[in-house]
Amino acid sequence: MFDPEELPELRRTIREATLRDRRLLDDLRAEVRGLASTVRTIKPRSTTSISLVASDGGNNKLVFDPFHVQLVRVVDSYGEQLCLDAVTPTTDTDVLSRAQFLEDGSPRTALGRVMADLGVAPPLLNRLSHMIPEGVKVREKPNEVSPSWVLVYRDLCEWAALYERICYRSFATDTLLVRDGLLRSKLFRGEYFIAFRRRIEEAIGRILSQHRRKVYLVGVAKHSKVLARYSLAMTLEGTFSAGAPKYIRVPRTLEAKAYVWPEYARGAEAEGEGEAPKFVAGDMYFVRFGGRSGDPTWTVDLLSSQTSHDAEVFGYLLADATDGFPVPFYPKCLQRAHEFAEIVDFDLDILQDEVVSAIRGLLDDKEVPALEGLRLQGDVSARRYE
């Protein structure tokens, strides 16, 4: 606690520091002011010809220290399960890599198909992503392995599920695919993400030419550093005036100022200019699906090759976002996908009991009562809040 006598001095210091940095806000407002002429109104379009399909990998983990099991489950907004797996931080990644393929070497999973199509050789997860540890390190030095790699594996599975749906599924209608998160990633090693993007673009072009079906791909993020940087300036400048849903394309120069690593703001347009754009597959937009000035604004990536269809894409997405619940004006298809992917309540209790049951199988009969006693003890400190 601060001493009451110290508060006036702290308030004065904070005000002086803010006044010294006023130019920062002035610069941001000047940058945003230049975008006013590019703001566009979203015109609603019929969704009868568009199937909104969202993919989402819920963050489901089962923990009973020292055991930690990460459930990898990717589903779409219709409840179709696209991927299901369970890994731990000490899972041998060489064994996990082999599990993506059949005995004859053909892909068994969507992630295996990605590795095969991108020419990952040898077909090891560590060769696809530098954030996945080598199998020998997991086996010999497990204490030096960061447990966060299981989340990287989950995200790779989500990308793979999206890839398989576009490249190996048929589409009965024009379809808008919505990813939970922007169309950019630093998970892939080298230039694999560039090859990944190109194969998706080729598949979309093939679907249009052979089957006369339009497939669009967007990524929607609840939070982004770019929006956080410019939201105050946009509000003060009235960039999105009230009256109708609106969107604006964000120049790469503004993106680069918000990111610590400027390469995260270099897309396909920068190919052939120095370092290859290895992390970005989409162009960024700020979108407000509500008509009031206080309605939330989201950051949306459109596949770079489809930006000429931005008005059409946002028109289709508008109807879905208008009905969004419980998050207002956020695509309902993403919220449904998250509900399907998340494991909660009774299902979570069952799987948590499976972890305990597996631990019980590791113990002698004389040790089992100690385990059961620990479970019954629970969190004593939480009882006062019940």
Side-chain angles (χ1 to χ4, degrees):
M1 291 290 291
F2 287 111
D3 190 302
E5 296 179 356
E6 296 176 330
L7 291 177
E9 179 65 19
L10 285 173
R11 292 193 184 101
R12 184 187 63 79
T13 303
I14 292 172
R15 290 195 187 98
E16 290 179 353
T18 304
L19 289 173
R20 286 195 301 269
D21 288 343
R22 179 187 176 87
R23 64 174 183 81
L24 298 177
L25 179 58
D26 292 340
D27 291 344
L28 292 177
R29 294 183 67 171
E31 293 173 3
V32 168
R33 200 174 298 128
L35 302 178
S37 61
T38 64
V39 176
R40 297 290 181 267
T41 298
I42 303 177
K43 298 180 179 180
R45 293 174 181 260
S46 171
T47 58
T48 55
S49 61
I50 286 286
S51 174
L52 290 153
V53 179
S55 64
D56 188 288
N59 186 17
N60 304 301
K61 59 182 180 180
L62 306 173
V63 179
F64 194 94
D65 277 338
F67 298 91
H68 171 185
V69 179
Q70 179 73 40
L71 295 178
V72 178
R73 187 169 184 246
V74 182
V75 301
D76 65 17
S77 51
Y78 297 119
E80 180 184 354
Q81 186 168 275
L82 307 177
C83 174
L84 179 64
D85 202 353
V87 294
T88 71
T90 56
T91 295
D92 189 331
T93 57
D94 289 345
V95 174
L96 190 61
S97 298
R98 290 194 293 271
Q100 311 303 318
F101 299 88
L102 299 172
E103 292 293 335
D104 61 1
S106 59
R108 188 180 71 85
T109 66
L111 188 53
R113 196 181 299 277
V114 168
M115 288 195 285
D117 288 355
L118 298 186
V120 178
L124 299 174
L125 291 170
N126 176 256
R127 300 300 301 170
L128 176 66
S129 173
H130 59 282
M131 297 184 183
I132 301 289
E134 296 181 349
V136 63
K137 184 174 182 178
V138 176
R139 293 190 298 271
E140 298 179 359
K141 301 178 180 179
N143 293 331
E144 298 180 9
V145 174
S146 171
S148 63
W149 76 262
V150 297
L151 299 180
V152 174
Y153 176 70
R154 182 204 65 185
D155 291 346
L156 287 174
C157 288
E158 186 174 347
W159 280 110
L162 186 65
Y163 175 88
E164 184 178 50
R165 179 177 283 277
I166 295 176
C167 297
Y168 291 95
R169 297 283 190 94
S170 58
F171 294 86
T173 65
D174 294 348
T175 303
L176 175 60
L177 292 162
V178 186
R179 180 181 183 272
D180 185 14
L182 300 178
L183 301 181
R184 46 193 78 195
S185 174
K186 287 191 174 184
L187 303 182
F188 292 79
R189 183 187 291 275
E191 298 186 5
Y192 282 135
F193 194 58
I194 296 178
F196 183 92
R197 169 180 58 82
R198 288 174 177 169
R199 290 191 67 89
I200 285 180
E201 292 173 340
E202 291 169 359
I204 290 175
R206 184 176 64 253
I207 294 168
L208 179 61
S209 62
Q210 296 180 359
H211 305 287
R212 299 295 186 268
R213 296 287 183 264
K214 297 179 181 178
V215 176
Y216 300 110
L217 175 61
V218 302
V220 182
K222 295 186 182 72
H223 309 284
S224 77
K225 291 183 178 179
V226 183
L227 182 57
R229 176 183 173 88
Y230 290 102
S231 58
L232 175 58
M234 289 174 61
T235 301
L236 295 175
E237 292 296 323
T239 303
F240 283 164
S241 58
K246 298 180 183 295
Y247 71 92
I248 186 173
R249 187 169 178 174
V250 182
R252 294 292 192 192
T253 53
L254 267 64
E255 286 187 46
K257 292 178 181 179
Y259 290 124
V260 176
W261 308 105
E263 61 267 26
Y264 208 55
R266 298 178 68 248
E269 77 286 344
E271 290 185 351
E273 303 175 4
E275 184 182 5
K278 298 182 291 186
F279 309 115
V280 181
D283 283 27
M284 182 179 290
Y285 291 76
F286 292 152
V287 185
R288 190 191 68 194
F289 292 112
R292 296 168 297 184
S293 59
D295 288 332
T297 299
W298 313 111
T299 308
V300 180
D301 264 355
L302 265 64
L303 192 64
S304 295
S305 59
Q306 298 183 325
T307 53
S308 60
H309 302 283
D310 52 8
E312 183 178 356
V313 171
F314 290 133
Y316 289 132
L317 197 56
L318 174 60
D320 191 64
T322 301
D323 295 332
F325 181 83
V327 181
F329 298 109
Y330 188 74
K332 182 173 65 175
C333 60
L334 276 178
Q335 299 190 61
R336 285 177 56 83
H338 182 73
E339 290 173 2
F340 283 123
E342 192 175 23
I343 301 174
V344 294
D345 301 330
F346 187 58
D347 289 338
L348 180 62
D349 291 339
I350 291 176
L351 294 177
Q352 186 69 54
D353 284 343
E354 284 299 317
V355 174
V356 176
S357 179
I359 297 174
R360 189 185 296 112
L362 302 175
L363 306 178
D364 296 335
D365 291 340
K366 295 181 180 180
E367 297 172 323
V368 170
L371 171 64
E372 299 299 340
L374 182 61
R375 291 185 65 197
L376 291 173
Q377 178 179 333
D379 184 1
V380 178
S381 63
R383 293 176 183 173
R384 61 171 293 184
Y385 303 108
E386 293 180 352

